[in-house]
Structure formats: structure tokens, C-alpha cells
Amino acid sequence: YLTQLAQVIIETSMRICWRALTEKYGQPQGLASTDIGDSLDEPMNMGFAVIAYGKLGGAELGFSSDLDLVFLFDQPASDSTIFDKDKNNMGRKKSILVSRFYTRFAQKLIHFLSTRTSLGILYEVDMRLRPSGNSGLLVSHIDAFSDYQKESAWTWEHQALCRARAIAGDQSLAVRFKEIRRLTLNSSRDGEKLRQDVVDMRHKMRQELLQKKDGFCDLKQCEGGLVDIEFLAQFLLLANDGSAPENQLNDSQLDGSQLN
């Protein structure tokens, strides 16, 4: 229920932020001229999708969980935004590059979710799982994201991808992400290198996160604990030989919410 609530909040926040930004800058010229309404039943044809990782991606959000998010877009980055000719935009026309538009949209969405008010904040937002981490772009083009997963991503990033899923935004972009994820997780890998990468990352995590107290057992980080089980499941998924069609995982098996 907490996961479902977060998804509704994110989608509603996106609609509010989209209207605010398109009133100021117009919308990417490759999109059909449509208004994003308030109803969750209305499609969000915005060329932008929110990808959930971690506990939100795995549908196990807790009361203190943050949101591990990645933002993707699919419109030509060098295009500019345009205004609807049927609307009076005199005095506030300010077209910008599509790449900058989506970056500002992402910044506004993060601000909307994480600004502290007198009632607290909605969520802490963690963007460190995006391509290239904190040094990477806030929003990635879907083609660049695909290339990164094939050519540059670390093993631990593919482990994180095991629980990733599109939770809000443009449905056509969500379908493209799902296919990239399927191909990535079904890729052939060097079994020994994969094993060593997973073991090394698990040891590093345990050294940093294991809580050591007398009379206390950290069931999450201890040897044989919950994270070990999770890493085993991720290893077995990534060790799957994609060269054999009968061994390839299907969409239901790759559903991040089913991995836990």
C-alpha cells in the first residue's frame, strides 16, 4: 500500500509540475499538443518516465524509505519547446532546448517531493542510481541509457536493475525501458567475473553497513542475512545464459516487484 501510495503521489506531482513548466516554456515540439489533466486515468504523453529502483521498484516501501529514482526522456535533445498557437502566451514565451526542459522538469519534481514544509516532506529522493551516478546527467535520453547498460554499467548497476520498473509517465517510454531491461538482464556474462563482482560488492556493503552491537544480530546485513539472500537471487538472475532461448527470462519473471 505504501508503494501504491507513492506511485499515485509521484504521478499527481508530475501532472502539477508539467502544467507549471509548459505554461512557462511550452512543450517539446515532438509531442502532440495535449493537456495533462488531473485524472490518473488520463495518459501522460510527455516523453518522460520515472523509473523506480530499490524498495519502490520492488514494491516493498517502508515508512522511512527514500525513493531511488531514475528519469528518462525520448524526445530529440536538440529540439526546442513550442507553445500552443491556440493559447495566449504573449509576455511569457520562452522556448528552451528539450534537454534543458526535461532537466528543469526533473528538478521541479524532486523539489516538489522533497521540500520541507511545516508538515514535513513527502519523500527523500535518491538519484545516485542514474547512469554514471552523481556525476551523470539528472535526466537520461532512453538511447543513452540503453548504450550505458550495454557498454558501461557496472555489475552492481545490473543488480539494481533487477528490481527496477517504470512507475509513472509516458507509457510508450515505459515499454521501451522494459525491453532494454529484459535484454540487459538476459545478456550473456562471464560467470566467474560475475561471481567475483557480486561477492566483492557484498563484502563492501557489509563493511560499511553492518551494525555491530553486543547481543544484537543485524538480520539484514549479517552473513546469511536478508541482503545475502537478495544478492544470491540477483546473481542467479544475471548468471542466466541469454544465448539459449529456453533459458531467457520472460516479462513476468523479470517483474521487479516479484523478486522479493
Side-chain angles (χ1 to χ4, degrees):
Y1 291 144
L2 292 175
T3 297
Q4 294 169 359
L5 178 61
Q7 292 179 202
V8 171
I9 290 173
I10 290 171
E11 184 168 335
T12 302
S13 300
M14 288 174 69
R15 293 176 185 275
I16 296 171
C17 295
W18 182 264
R19 287 198 297 270
L21 229 66
T22 53
E23 286 177 2
K24 185 175 182 180
Y25 300 114
Q27 66 179 17
Q29 65 187 62
L31 298 177
S33 181
T34 57
D35 290 325
I36 302 298
D38 293 323
S39 173
L40 297 181
D41 294 327
E42 297 181 56
M44 293 198 290
N45 301 318
M46 53 177 61
F48 181 95
V50 175
I51 311 301
Y53 281 70
K55 290 189 175 182
L56 179 57
E60 55 174 349
L61 209 64
F63 285 104
S64 60
S65 300
D66 58 7
L67 305 183
D68 293 299
L69 303 179
V70 168
F71 299 140
L72 302 176
F73 74 101
D74 65 356
Q75 298 301 298
S78 59
D79 280 359
S80 297
T81 57
I82 58 174
F83 286 91
D84 191 332
K85 295 180 180 179
D86 296 332
K87 293 184 178 180
N88 180 14
N89 297 295
M90 297 302 294
R92 57 183 174 85
K93 289 184 177 180
K94 188 179 180 181
S95 294
I96 57 176
L97 289 175
V98 165
S99 57
R100 181 174 297 180
F101 173 85
Y102 283 119
T103 297
R104 293 189 178 181
F105 177 60
Q107 290 170 337
K108 192 171 187 66
L109 179 59
I110 293 173
H111 178 76
F112 204 92
L113 293 171
S114 59
T115 295
R116 184 166 297 281
T117 70
S118 59
L119 297 177
I121 65 173
L122 286 171
Y123 298 101
E124 297 282 355
V125 177
D126 190 340
M127 299 294 300
R128 290 176 294 177
L129 289 175
R130 68 185 188 271
S132 299
N134 287 334
S135 63
L137 298 173
L138 186 61
V139 187
S140 299
H141 193 279
I142 186 68
D143 293 337
F145 179 83
S146 178
D147 291 342
Y148 181 84
Q149 296 300 326
K150 287 186 291 187
E151 301 169 5
S152 306
W154 296 80
T155 297
W156 65 265
E157 291 178 285
H158 285 173
Q159 287 181 249
L161 194 64
C162 292
R163 291 197 295 177
R165 60 193 178 93
I167 60 167
D170 199 305
Q171 286 302 303
S172 62
L173 187 52
V175 170
R176 291 185 64 186
F177 165 77
K178 192 172 184 178
E179 178 63 11
I180 291 169
R181 179 175 175 272
R182 185 187 69 80
L183 292 173
T184 300
L185 297 183
N186 273 324
S187 297
S188 297
R189 295 175 173 84
D190 182 319
E192 181 56 32
K193 181 180 184 304
L194 173 63
R195 185 194 68 80
Q196 193 60 53
D197 286 348
V198 172
V199 169
D200 289 346
M201 177 53 65
R202 184 66 196 102
H203 286 166
K204 182 178 179 180
M205 280 185 61
R206 182 175 289 117
Q207 290 174 358
E208 295 178 356
L209 301 176
L210 180 65
Q211 299 184 44
K212 299 179 180 179
K213 299 179 182 178
D214 291 339
F216 173 82
C217 178
D218 186 346
L219 289 176
K220 182 175 181 180
Q221 297 294 341
C222 70
E223 292 187 11
L226 297 176
V227 178
D228 277 4
I229 296 171
E230 182 179 348
F231 267 54
L232 280 170
Q234 293 169 354
F235 168 78
L236 291 172
L237 192 154
L238 294 175
N240 169 70
D241 183 4
S243 63
E246 65 273 16
N247 290 339
Q248 290 194 359
L249 298 171
N250 58 40
D251 286 343
S252 62
Q253 291 170 307
L254 290 174
D255 184 351
S257 64
Q258 301 299 318
L259 261 180
N260 303 293

